[in-house]
Amino acid sequence: MCIRDREMTERKSRAGEGLPSAQTPAAEAKAAMAGFLKEFSTFQDDVKSTLKQQEERLTMLNAKTMSYGRPALSAQAEVEVPHRKAFNAYLRNGDDDGLRSLSLEGKALSTNVVADGGVLVDPQTADRIRSMLLATSSLRTVANVVQVDAISYDVLIDRSEVGSGWAQEVPATVETATPLLERISIRLHELAAMPKASQRILDDSAFDIEGWLADKIATRFIRAEAAAFISGDGVDKPRGILLPPKVANASWTWGNIGFVPTGAAADFAATNPADCLVNLVYALGADYRANATFLMNSRTTAAVRRLKDTTGRFLWVDGLQEGEPARLMGYRVLIAEDMPDIAANAFPIAFGDFRAGYTIAERPDLRILRDPFSAKPHVLFYANKRVGGDVTDFSAIKLLRVSV
């Protein structure tokens, strides 16, 4: 048995020769970690090399941009650039092919070409004109401005309140008063401007045609609107705040504008001249006084600035910060040069909540028609928009009349 066991052991030993010896778990983990670190180091070197190449390319691009004076690359896509280019081409040489094939905000401009009355102004130029209109000392800055897509704008005015009363448990409830509604229709009228420029200037690529056109159009629109909102007669223009019939505030009725006299025939009263301003302020209802504004021209402002109270203090207070409006008796003052001067039976000062009392309705689009034939060698640019205005709350505005 011993000899047989020894032979079997020797055969098993010879059968296991040439096989690798088994590694311990610690050795296997160490080898795997070494391989991972080697691969990570190689990856890190590749990333550093790629970043270095990118940095070299950016440096070269910046150097070329600086040397040739090229503009910086835009950080975001300018989706309105095609419209501006097409509009610029139309202004300079009358080429409207770009506008015919252009689509902006889902609305095709193929119908807004010369044959149909002009092209739509690009959004940047329209916004520039609109901002200039709002930045001026016009009634537009304090009135209610609405955008419409029709030829008129209807306003429903509630002239009274719903009646009320104390109810009892047993008796029947008595019917109360019903509010009265009145419709005021504001028609939109065409406001136009027609600046001109020579073709030689338009051919100059350095000439800012959009900026020049926006300034010219806005200047003419500002003057026309400011006058119409004050004294417009409603014939092909808005109805101004001075158009409705004017009656003494003690006998005021709906449809009229109430006024307060100054106490003198052609000026402020010689004694206590500021009393008429106090009466004017409190002739307006308390619910309107919170947002009320004085409206007058520069010559009237010069006279009002000299008025003092009984203690010798000036009623006028300048703004404490830049851009802050001046105050008269604690209320904002808007200088509107189209208001009348101080004269007999004139109405030089208006006071009220104009956001409640006056509404301006306008179409948001502005159109341009290029005319190279009527004023050769100049090119005319006919710009038009539609705007209307009217008094919508006769109890929200009061006037000061120069009279006894």
Side-chain angles (χ1 to χ4, degrees):
M1 293 296 294
C2 293
I3 296 173
R4 189 180 304 165
D5 293 340
R6 188 181 301 114
E7 289 177 353
M8 292 180 63
T9 303
E10 289 177 357
R11 283 197 296 269
K12 290 182 180 180
S13 299
R14 286 194 299 268
E17 289 180 358
L19 296 177
S21 59
Q23 295 181 350
T24 62
E28 292 179 355
K30 184 176 181 180
M33 181 61 69
F36 172 76
L37 292 177
K38 183 178 179 180
E39 293 178 359
F40 182 78
S41 178
T42 303
F43 172 75
Q44 190 176 22
D45 293 340
D46 293 341
V47 171
K48 289 182 179 179
S49 177
T50 303
L51 292 177
K52 185 177 180 180
Q53 293 176 3
Q54 294 286 351
E55 185 176 359
E56 291 176 354
R57 292 176 181 176
L58 290 177
T59 303
M60 181 178 61
L61 182 60
N62 291 334
K64 290 184 177 181
T65 302
M66 295 297 294
S67 60
Y68 290 99
R70 296 175 180 174
L73 296 178
S74 176
Q76 57 184 359
E78 298 181 4
V79 295
E80 295 176 344
V81 166
H83 191 192
R84 294 190 63 184
K85 290 182 178 179
F87 182 65
N88 186 281
Y90 174 73
L91 294 180
R92 292 186 184 277
N93 51 42
D95 182 10
D96 61 353
D97 291 339
L99 291 172
R100 290 178 182 273
S101 60
L102 185 65
S103 178
L104 179 65
E105 295 181 356
K107 295 183 179 180
L109 296 184
S110 58
T111 59
N112 299 320
V113 295
V114 179
D116 299 317
V119 301
L120 290 178
V121 175
D122 68 285
Q124 292 86 353
T125 305
D127 290 342
R128 182 171 179 175
I129 295 174
R130 191 175 298 110
S131 63
M132 292 180 67
L133 293 176
L134 292 176
T136 57
S137 295
S138 168
L139 192 62
R140 174 185 285 270
T141 60
V142 293
N144 179 34
V145 182
V146 296
Q147 307 284 336
V148 298
D149 291 326
I151 61 174
S152 63
Y153 177 70
D154 293 338
V155 182
L156 292 178
I157 303 299
D158 185 0
R159 293 176 47 188
S160 61
E161 297 182 356
V162 177
S164 62
W166 296 103
Q168 299 181 6
E169 182 177 0
V170 178
T173 303
V174 180
E175 181 180 353
T176 58
T178 302
L180 301 177
L181 294 178
E182 181 172 341
R183 182 191 301 271
I184 296 179
S185 181
I186 302 176
R187 294 191 59 82
L188 273 63
H189 307 278
E190 184 172 328
L191 177 60
M194 192 164 56
K196 67 179 180 179
S198 66
Q199 187 61 52
R200 179 175 299 180
I201 293 179
L202 297 178
D203 292 338
D204 185 1
S205 60
F207 178 60
D208 184 11
I209 179 64
E210 291 94 346
W212 171 83
L213 189 63
D215 293 340
K216 290 297 183 181
I217 293 175
T219 300
R220 284 160 175 77
F221 283 1
I222 288 169
R223 295 173 183 172
E225 282 190 356
F229 295 154
I230 298 297
S231 56
D233 57 6
V235 180
D236 296 331
K237 63 175 67 70
R239 297 169 57 89
I241 61 172
L242 299 181
L243 181 63
K246 292 164 279 291
V247 298
N249 193 64
S251 57
W252 176 85
T253 56
W254 183 263
N256 303 309
I257 300 292
F259 70 81
V260 173
T262 59
D267 203 344
F268 290 102
T271 58
N272 299 325
D275 287 356
C276 61
L277 294 179
V278 177
N279 296 334
L280 178 64
V281 168
Y282 289 97
L284 191 67
D287 49 344
Y288 297 115
R289 286 200 300 268
N291 299 316
T293 302
F294 280 101
L295 195 66
M296 65 188 78
N297 65 23
S298 296
R299 288 174 291 276
T300 304
T301 300
V304 172
R305 287 182 68 104
R306 296 192 293 267
L307 298 180
K308 302 179 181 179
D309 60 14
T310 56
T311 62
R313 296 181 303 177
F314 286 100
L315 300 178
W316 186 282
V317 178
D318 290 321
L320 300 179
Q321 298 179 358
E322 183 178 359
E324 183 180 350
R327 299 278 175 174
L328 177 60
M329 299 178 61
Y331 297 97
R332 175 185 176 184
V333 179
L334 179 64
I335 307 299
E337 299 299 346
D338 294 284
M339 287 292 291
D341 293 333
I342 297 177
N345 297 319
F347 299 90
I349 299 177
F351 179 73
D353 181 0
F354 296 100
R355 192 168 301 278
Y358 194 82
T359 299
I360 298 172
E362 63 180 1
R363 290 181 64 95
D365 54 342
L366 175 66
R367 293 177 180 267
I368 292 288
L369 179 62
R370 187 179 189 272
D371 180 9
F373 306 108
S374 301
K376 292 182 178 179
H378 294 86
V379 177
L380 296 175
F381 296 97
Y382 179 79
N384 69 306
K385 63 174 293 188
R386 293 186 177 275
V387 61
D390 201 353
V391 175
T392 50
D393 190 345
F394 295 92
S395 59
I397 302 174
K398 301 298 178 182
L399 300 174
L400 182 70
R401 181 182 181 183
V402 182
S403 62
V404 180

